[in-house]
Amino acid sequence: MDKKKQRSLAQWLKGQSKLGKTWLMAAIGLAFLSGLFLVAQAALLANILHQLIIEKTDKSELWLSFVVLGIVVCIRALCSWGKEQAGYRAGEAVRLHIRKLILDKLHALGPATIQGRPAGTWASLILEQVEEMQDFFARYLPQMAIAVLIPFIILIAVFPLNWAAGLIFLVTAPLVPFFMALVGMGAADANRRNFKALQRLSGYFYDRLRGLSTIRLFDQAEAESNHLRIASEDFRKRTMEVLRLAFLSSAVLEFFTALSIAVTAVYFGFSYIGELNFGHYGMGITLFVGIFVLVLAPEFYQPLRDLGTFYHAKAQAIGAAESIVNFLDSTPEHQASGSAKVSDEAITIKATDLEVLSPDGAVLAGPISFEIREGQKVALVGQSGAGKTSLINAILGFLPYRGSLSINGLELKNADLAYWRKQVSWVGQNPQLFHGSVKDNVCLAAPMATDEQIQRVTKAAYADEFIQRLEKGLEHSVGDRASGLSVGQAQRIAVARALLQEGRFWVLDEPTASLDASSEKLVMESLDHATKDTTTLLVSHRIDQLGGCDNILVMQQGKLIQQGNFEQLKHEGVFAEMIQAVDRSDLDA
């Protein structure tokens, strides 16, 4: 990663920190207060030792100094605790915001883009990479201010007592950040490579975990284990590379810090034996001054050492931010939607020279032209890969396009996509139910629905007959991916959910593909009743379901090659061949 890119990502990270500004200022303020008490603590400790050793003062006479010293130590501990808490809150606020940005972007992109990458990759982006930014906001950013404030306070306290010690601090202090930056130059690149390896491993592992039964049935468990081992080994190497840099950075910082403190100690040692006689403004070097400065010496470099430690957090955050910023900055063509709302009339869809594009700009289907008039039931048919799903995704605003695609006369590019999607009731071939109750899944589109509305739609979808048999009825628990229900039951819940949305445009994507004959009949009856006099687009391989359609669009290799009603199409072309193929399969059966 070039330096310009690193600076750009660092600026983006600092820009996000505005959301936690209050907590960041609180963390810095508490650290500053701790620095003041640090000087007081060193002065009290040096005074007590000077009184005991040089002045031969009785310990009982110094009880007040001991009490005050204890109070100062406790206050410093409270300040440190408060600083950590405030830093954590700052990081938490920013992480929640960044995670929301990613989820909002995913929501806007839609399923067509999401399905283009493994689910584990998205999980890594939303979870691990966002979490890796915590220390940057919670510790590194506050430490940048603390690394200036605390040494400044100590220099103000030391210089009036001994300018030589202050000069040693001033000259040696820049060595720590200089070598910290020198060692850390490659840290961001190492972290970036590490995150990419983690994304690959997460995506690969999650996909194989979901398909474990298929892998075992095809006896590929050992081969997939080898692939997983290779991905794991790559991640291990990247992680060790990051750790090597982190340990090297710490070792370099410790070396130069120890060297600087040693120089200060040597100066005072030679001053006490009379070999050096400068730096004390002619007042001599007392035990108080020596102890005071030597107690503060490690504390002078400690904020810089901590900054060096947290510099690794900056490298981690920059490595994590690259993928996040690239994702957030990506603006597919279909993202440039407008704010105009589709009129509340019955839905009419018209496409003219429409070309459906992938998020990368490749042509998936088209050019095609067609019109779906208000109240019509239109079927979309074709072999797998003909472009049906791409066309539906374009109509729903999930894929970019060229040409014209209008809803009620409004070009889709200029429409408020969120508002448009609320007008759509959708039933797919693989109903997606979520962990929760049956009621939660029915009410997905209308969380505030009344019990009367829920009963109406479940009855209309013929779902009430099996819901009543469940022990807890609507409160029956549904597992992830509809576990605990049959496919037919899950599909009827999906139909009830679509009915509750009361959309003006229905999209039925193979709604009976996975159903037995009995469930298919019930689902189709409920759908026919629900879509009566409503604009409907039906995607189906079932020829026997197309007789009642007003228009049939036949697609092949991304082109619209036939359109008309059943009677017009059944005697010639691809549609006639599809009918003959069905007839032959029935005879074979």
Side-chain angles (χ1 to χ4, degrees):
M1 188 191 305
D2 58 63
K3 292 183 180 179
K4 184 178 179 181
K5 179 69 172 177
Q6 287 193 32
R7 285 195 296 270
S8 173
L9 292 174
Q11 285 298 115
W12 181 84
L13 287 167
K14 290 177 182 177
Q16 304 307 309
S17 68
K18 294 177 182 177
L19 293 161
K21 186 176 180 180
T22 302
W23 289 111
L24 285 174
M25 294 304 295
I28 294 169
L30 287 168
F32 179 76
L33 188 61
S34 177
L36 295 177
F37 281 106
L38 168 65
V39 173
Q41 177 183 315
L44 285 167
L45 185 61
N47 180 63
I48 289 171
L49 292 174
H50 180 82
Q51 292 292 329
L52 291 174
I53 298 172
I54 304 299
E55 302 296 336
K56 306 296 182 180
T57 305
D58 189 84
K59 287 182 285 188
S60 60
E61 297 179 17
L62 298 173
W63 67 270
L64 183 60
S65 296
F66 283 109
V67 171
V68 174
L69 179 62
I71 293 173
V72 169
V73 170
C74 291
I75 293 175
R76 281 198 64 211
L78 285 173
C79 288
S80 297
W81 176 83
K83 178 178 77 71
E84 289 294 322
Q85 290 295 312
Y88 177 81
R89 296 299 179 188
E92 183 182 43
V94 178
R95 283 186 295 114
L96 289 173
H97 172 69
I98 294 175
R99 191 167 282 129
K100 184 178 183 300
L101 290 178
I102 296 173
L103 292 174
D104 288 345
K105 185 75 172 183
L106 285 171
H107 180 266
L109 290 175
T113 301
I114 294 172
Q115 292 173 1
R117 293 169 66 180
T121 300
W122 298 118
S124 174
L125 186 72
I126 295 171
L127 299 176
E128 287 95 342
Q129 292 186 232
V130 174
E131 288 297 322
E132 289 295 339
M133 296 180 176
Q134 170 67 21
D135 281 351
F136 176 81
F137 297 109
R139 294 182 172 177
Y140 179 77
L141 285 184
Q143 195 64 34
M144 286 182 67
I146 295 168
V148 175
L149 289 175
I150 302 301
F152 182 70
I153 293 171
I154 293 175
L155 284 175
I156 290 177
V158 168
F159 258 110
L161 297 176
N162 191 288
W163 62 262
L167 191 63
I168 292 172
F169 287 172
L170 197 60
V171 171
T172 57
L175 292 175
V176 177
F178 173 75
F179 284 98
M180 174 184 71
L182 194 64
V183 173
M185 285 176 63
D189 278 338
N191 276 283
R192 178 176 57 85
R193 291 191 293 270
N194 188 48
F195 282 122
K196 287 188 178 297
L198 177 60
Q199 280 189 338
R200 286 194 297 270
L201 178 61
S202 298
Y204 192 92
F205 177 73
Y206 182 72
D207 284 355
R208 269 56 186 178
L209 189 63
R210 291 178 61 186
L212 190 59
S213 57
T214 304
I215 292 172
R216 287 188 176 279
L217 287 170
F218 284 91
D219 195 25
Q220 291 298 308
E222 185 174 350
E224 293 299 332
S225 295
N226 289 332
H227 291 314
L228 187 60
R229 190 177 300 110
I230 292 171
S232 300
E233 180 64 17
D234 181 51
F235 178 59
R236 185 192 68 80
K237 289 180 179 178
R238 303 298 184 192
T239 302
M240 294 306 298
E241 182 182 2
V242 172
L243 291 176
R244 279 198 302 271
L245 284 170
F247 285 128
L248 177 61
S249 176
S250 298
V252 169
L253 294 179
E254 291 295 333
F255 173 75
F256 282 101
T257 300
L259 186 63
S260 302
I261 296 172
V263 170
T264 306
V266 167
Y267 162 74
F268 278 105
F270 277 96
S271 296
Y272 284 133
I273 63 175
E275 295 295 327
L276 296 176
N277 188 27
F278 62 87
H280 47 72
Y281 303 107
M283 297 180 294
I285 299 177
T286 63
L287 182 63
F288 171 84
V289 173
I291 294 176
F292 179 72
V293 173
L294 288 174
V295 168
L296 289 178
E299 301 295 340
F300 177 83
Y301 297 103
Q302 188 61 46
L304 296 171
R305 293 162 65 188
D306 290 341
L307 183 63
T309 303
F310 300 146
Y311 189 81
H312 179 64
K314 177 188 176 183
Q316 272 188 321
I318 289 176
E322 184 184 28
S323 299
I324 294 174
V325 171
N326 289 340
F327 171 67
L328 294 176
D329 287 347
S330 61
T331 309
E333 190 175 332
H334 66 289
Q335 282 296 101
S337 61
S339 57
K341 289 181 168 53
V342 175
S343 64
D344 293 333
E345 304 168 0
I347 298 299
T348 298
I349 299 175
K350 185 175 181 179
T352 305
D353 297 326
L354 174 68
E355 285 186 321
V356 182
L357 309 176
S358 71
D360 299 328
V363 178
L364 301 176
I368 55 179
S369 300
F370 63 88
E371 183 175 3
I372 302 176
R373 298 186 180 90
E374 61 179 75
Q376 278 191 330
K377 183 176 183 179
V378 176
L380 184 62
V381 300
Q383 301 296 330
S384 297
K388 304 186 297 297
T389 301
S390 298
L391 177 58
I392 290 176
N393 278 321
I395 292 173
L396 296 178
F398 292 134
L399 282 177
Y401 66 88
R402 286 197 294 258
S404 175
L405 178 59
S406 62
I407 314 294
N408 287 358
L410 174 65
E411 190 65 36
L412 189 60
K413 291 178 182 178
N414 302 323
D416 183 336
L417 295 180
Y419 182 80
W420 159 233
R421 290 169 189 151
K422 289 179 181 179
Q423 315 307 312
V424 180
S425 289
W426 177 82
V427 180
Q429 56 182 309
N430 296 309
Q432 180 65 59
L433 301 187
F434 300 95
H435 185 80
S437 66
V438 171
K439 182 179 179 179
D440 292 336
N441 280 278
V442 172
C443 297
L444 185 64
M448 304 305 294
T450 64
D451 291 341
E452 183 180 346
Q453 290 174 311
I454 295 170
Q455 289 174 2
R456 176 176 58 81
V457 296
T458 53
K459 184 176 181 180
Y462 297 100
D464 60 328
E465 64 174 29
F466 76 82
I467 292 176
Q468 292 173 359
R469 296 197 301 268
L470 297 174
E471 184 178 350
K472 296 183 180 179
L474 285 169
E475 299 302 325
H476 177 79
S477 179
V478 178
D480 186 36
R481 301 175 71 182
S483 61
L485 296 175
S486 70
V487 176
Q489 290 172 337
Q491 190 68 301
R492 278 182 267 176
I493 290 176
V495 172
R497 182 168 60 192
L499 286 168
L500 192 58
Q501 186 163 353
E502 298 180 341
R504 293 183 289 123
F505 178 57
W506 281 70
V507 177
L508 310 177
D509 185 5
E510 300 282 0
T512 61
S514 303
L515 304 182
D516 56 63
S518 175
S519 296
E520 178 183 346
K521 181 182 177 182
L522 292 175
V523 168
M524 287 309 300
E525 282 181 7
S526 62
L527 288 175
D528 288 340
H529 183 268
T531 59
K532 187 179 181 181
D533 300 325
T534 303
T535 308
T536 305
L537 181 60
L538 169 66
V539 180
S540 179
H541 287 100
R542 294 293 304 271
I543 302 299
D544 57 336
Q545 295 177 354
L546 307 182
C549 293
D550 301 300
N551 194 18
I552 300 173
L553 308 178
V554 184
M555 293 190 69
Q556 186 177 59
Q557 297 180 354
K559 307 290 185 181
L560 183 60
I561 57 174
Q562 285 181 285
Q563 58 178 312
N565 60 39
F566 190 88
E567 293 299 323
Q568 292 171 333
L569 301 179
K570 69 178 183 179
H571 298 298
E572 60 181 3
V574 173
F575 190 74
E577 293 174 4
M578 293 172 64
I579 295 175
Q580 293 171 8
V582 171
D583 292 339
R584 284 195 298 270
S585 64
D586 289 342
L587 289 173
D588 292 340

